[in-house]
Amino acid sequence: MNLPFAESFKIKMVEPIRRSTREEREKWMKDANYNLFKLKSDYVFIDLLTDSGTGAMSDKQWSELMLGDESYAGARSYYNMKEAIKTILNFDYFLPTHQGRAAENVLFSVLIKEGDIIPGNSHFDTTKGHIEFRKAIALDVTIDEAKDTQIDLPFKGNHDLKKLEDAMAKHADKVPFILVTVTNNTAGGQPVSMECIKGVRAIADKYKKMVVFDSARFAENAYFIKTREKGYENKTIKEIVKEMYSYADAMTMSAKKDAIVNMGGFIATKHQDLFEKACMFNIMFEGYITYGGMSGRDMNALAVGLDEGTEFEYLETRIKQVEYLGKKLDEYGIPYQRPAGGHAIFIDAKKVLSNVPREQFPAQTLGVELYLEAGVRGVEIGAILADRDPVTRENRFPELELLRLAIPRRTYTNNHMDLVAAALKNVYDRRDAITKGFTIVKEQPIMRHFTVDLERVK
Ligand code: F0G
């Protein structure tokens, strides 16, 4: 008999979570103005809002917390992080920041000015926010296939190199750098192939531009390259990661994902001049250059996390859990962005709640329904997240209207996944009866999804 796949860790510490009743959830959801971000986490049974900062650190990471050096300048922990970044990513220069968007803020303060255009494969919302806040344009050049959830492609997060070349031919003078987001979160946790990365590098070289990697889930991307791209099957994850970053000038990192820490991030670059310019902004916005918003103990845990997060056994356990949830949904016929992503399953809310008009936010509606059904919290990746157009102030309706179920690293078991799938099936079975969604009562001009207030359409 073939042995089944099993997790490459055992559990040493647990955190109790609490079930609730439907009546309780109805009240809590209404009190939160139907914004899932506004729920107390105690009101959530299984929390798939994000995989960011929600993972379980290893015993080795926890032990490193005790060894943190909290010196203001020149801390040992800073040098531990520096060594990990050099060894794993091969960057000589780096700046710690408190998380990924802080890294974007610091780096973009150096690189982006009003009127610039930044082409990339589906800029993440904070990335887009930091670009648009500077009155620049985030130009999406992701392949068109990413917009059809039912097309199964190994590298659905790729740039369309033709679109990129055309954009460069037209706007090169306004482009400070090309962005590569690995994995492509917005398109469904979909990876970018090494072939595509090389293609982006070639175009950047032709126009003498830099390539910046948004690296939140770079290790998951490397796992997909190893398991899906010809020629990489016998390479280690660390070898693949090294090659990926050989094509980058700089990176921003939200370490809360693939470095498996609860808080932290960084910028890394090969260019001394860029580093020196970024130092000033880091000191202003984050902290002195050897801690940048992180405590020494957290820098230690991050250094270990970078190493553990780029080990095949860990990644295989993680990504197979996401796949497991995907297979359950296949059994029930529930449509999601194919293939299953690295960190999450993205339910196609337009297909599930086809009776809810786009203007009434089907993905948000599905998220609320799933929460009411079983206390499972996902997050809308659709029109609310897309914000209004910065110029016309009209709502933007992206092609994809998704409910993301992001799976924290090393946190839940497959029994939890079974419950999530069953809860979704219950909602799916009564989908035809769900005909009304929500309207916005109150919103902020940028990144409104975090704080938006909604009410049910009557
Ligand atoms: N880039 C990507 C691709 C991300 O997914 C995120 C965060 C960031 C940058 C910003 O990093 O949160 O540390 O400031 N994504 C989280 C998510 C919030 O839920 O997907 P941060």
Side-chain angles (χ1 to χ4, degrees):
M1 180 175 184
N2 285 339
L3 297 180
F5 182 79
E7 292 79 1
S8 62
F9 61 79
K10 57 181 178 173
I11 297 166
K12 193 172 329 221
M13 192 190 280
V14 295
E15 176 183 345
I17 49 177
R18 182 180 166 272
R19 287 184 190 80
S20 51
T21 63
R22 175 137 192 148
E23 289 68 39
E24 285 174 322
R25 293 193 292 274
E26 296 269 7
K27 177 179 184 310
W28 295 333
M29 193 70 269
K30 186 162 187 287
D31 291 347
N33 295 313
Y34 300 98
N35 180 340
L36 294 153
F37 283 98
K38 291 189 175 178
L39 285 172
K40 283 189 183 173
S41 65
D42 284 344
Y43 299 163
V44 176
F45 184 49
I46 300 175
D47 203 349
L48 307 185
L49 182 77
T50 180
D51 63 321
S52 181
T54 52
M57 291 204 295
S58 67
D59 50 358
K60 215 165 152 206
Q61 286 180 292
W62 277 101
S63 69
E64 277 299 322
L65 295 183
M66 297 302 291
L67 301 174
D69 174 2
E70 306 302 342
S71 304
Y72 190 96
R76 257 187 330 274
S77 302
Y78 165 82
Y79 288 101
N80 290 341
M81 196 167 147
K82 187 176 171 66
E83 192 185 321
I85 289 170
K86 175 68 188 167
T87 310
I88 294 164
L89 301 156
N90 203 20
F91 286 105
D92 286 321
Y93 303 98
F94 96 101
L95 286 165
T97 63
H98 78 274
Q99 62 183 84
R101 68 199 69 182
E104 290 164 359
N105 189 30
V106 169
L107 188 69
F108 295 178
S109 293
V110 180
L111 295 180
I112 300 179
K113 60 178 191 315
E114 188 172 337
D116 281 354
I117 295 174
I118 292 86
N121 55 333
S122 318
H123 314 63
F124 181 67
D125 54 334
T126 61
T127 319
K128 182 154 65 81
H130 274 297
I131 292 170
E132 292 181 348
F133 181 72
R134 291 173 169 79
K135 298 194 165 47
I137 294 167
L139 182 69
D140 185 10
V141 297
T142 309
I143 55 169
D144 288 335
E145 290 89 333
K147 293 188 186 127
D148 182 339
T149 58
Q150 300 313 296
I151 297 179
D152 208 321
L153 278 181
F155 293 101
K156 218 173 169 179
N158 274 356
H159 301 70
D160 180 329
L161 295 178
K162 167 91 173 58
K163 280 191 208 168
L164 179 60
E165 171 62 51
D166 289 350
M168 295 303 284
K170 221 156 137 195
H171 307 296
D173 54 323
K174 291 187 186 145
V175 174
F177 62 87
I178 302 170
L179 189 74
V180 176
T181 304
V182 280
T183 58
N184 185 329
N185 183 4
T186 312
Q190 301 295 327
V192 179
S193 68
M194 194 72 87
E195 190 189 354
C196 175
I197 293 173
K198 286 185 198 168
V200 170
R201 178 75 258 172
I203 293 172
D205 286 345
K206 177 172 163 194
Y207 292 93
K208 299 195 168 45
K209 302 292 176 186
M210 287 199 290
V211 177
V212 175
F213 281 33
D214 175 350
S215 306
R217 300 178 183 84
F218 74 97
E220 290 168 7
N221 200 92
Y223 173 88
F224 286 121
I225 290 176
K226 179 175 170 70
T227 54
R228 294 182 185 171
E229 193 162 352
K230 210 166 164 300
Y232 291 91
E233 48 280 73
N234 296 322
K235 294 206 188 306
T236 65
I237 297 293
K238 286 187 165 68
E239 286 166 346
I240 295 169
V241 166
K242 274 254 178 65
E243 183 179 342
M244 283 165 63
Y245 284 95
S246 71
Y247 303 115
D249 291 280
M251 66 182 278
T252 55
M253 177 70 183
S254 170
K256 301 166 73 170
K257 285 90 168 169
D258 276 358
I260 330 172
V261 287
N262 302 118
M263 190 52 73
F266 59 88
I267 297 164
T269 176
K270 292 171 184 159
H271 305 298
Q272 189 179 353
D273 57 334
L274 179 58
F275 166 74
E276 283 171 2
K277 285 181 193 149
C279 282
M280 181 182 83
F281 292 104
N282 214 65
I283 293 168
M284 277 201 297
F285 299 149
E286 292 296 296
Y288 181 62
I289 55 175
T290 62
Y291 74 87
M294 293 187 71
S295 47
R297 63 181 81 96
D298 288 338
M299 291 194 278
N300 268 7
L302 196 163
V304 174
L306 270 183
D307 182 41
E308 289 181 2
T310 47
E311 282 299 311
F312 181 76
E313 286 69 23
Y314 151 73
L315 284 164
E316 187 183 35
T317 295
R318 161 158 190 63
I319 290 173
K320 280 199 189 290
Q321 183 169 50
V322 182
E323 254 173 48
Y324 178 86
L325 176 58
K327 283 186 187 145
K328 281 270 151 200
L329 299 187
D330 288 341
E331 265 176 50
Y332 303 148
I334 301 170
Y336 60 89
Q337 173 71 306
R338 302 193 156 279
H343 67 296
I345 293 287
F346 293 67
I347 312 291
D348 189 336
K350 268 198 306 194
K351 285 202 162 59
V352 175
L353 296 186
S354 51
N355 293 334
V356 176
R358 268 327 279 283
E359 299 70 32
Q360 296 179 18
F361 309 115
Q364 182 68 18
T365 309
L366 185 60
V368 170
E369 286 297 329
L370 180 62
Y371 173 71
L372 295 178
E373 181 68 32
V376 175
R377 173 159 71 172
V379 72
E380 190 249 22
I381 308 275
I384 299 181
L385 178 96
D387 274 335
R388 288 174 190 274
D389 184 282
V391 180
T392 66
R393 302 309 301 157
E394 290 296 321
N395 272 321
R396 292 190 277 210
F397 291 100
E399 199 68 36
L400 293 177
E401 176 75 18
L402 307 167
L403 175 69
R404 186 185 75 171
L405 304 174
I407 303 182
R409 293 163 183 78
R410 311 191 279 212
T411 302
Y412 291 111
T413 67
N414 284 358
N415 287 332
H416 293 111
M417 299 303 119
D418 287 342
L419 187 147
V420 170
L424 260 172
K425 179 178 183 333
N426 290 347
V427 175
Y428 190 63
D429 287 347
R430 57 182 164 77
R431 64 191 180 280
D432 291 340
I434 304 169
T435 56
K436 288 180 179 165
F438 292 90
T439 50
I440 292 179
V441 182
K442 204 166 136 199
E443 65 184 294
Q444 293 293 322
I446 289 187
M447 288 186 249
R448 63 183 179 180
H449 58 291
F450 289 119
T451 53
V452 70
D453 286 341
L454 300 158
E455 68 183 14
R456 280 193 188 279
V457 172
K458 296 216 170 57

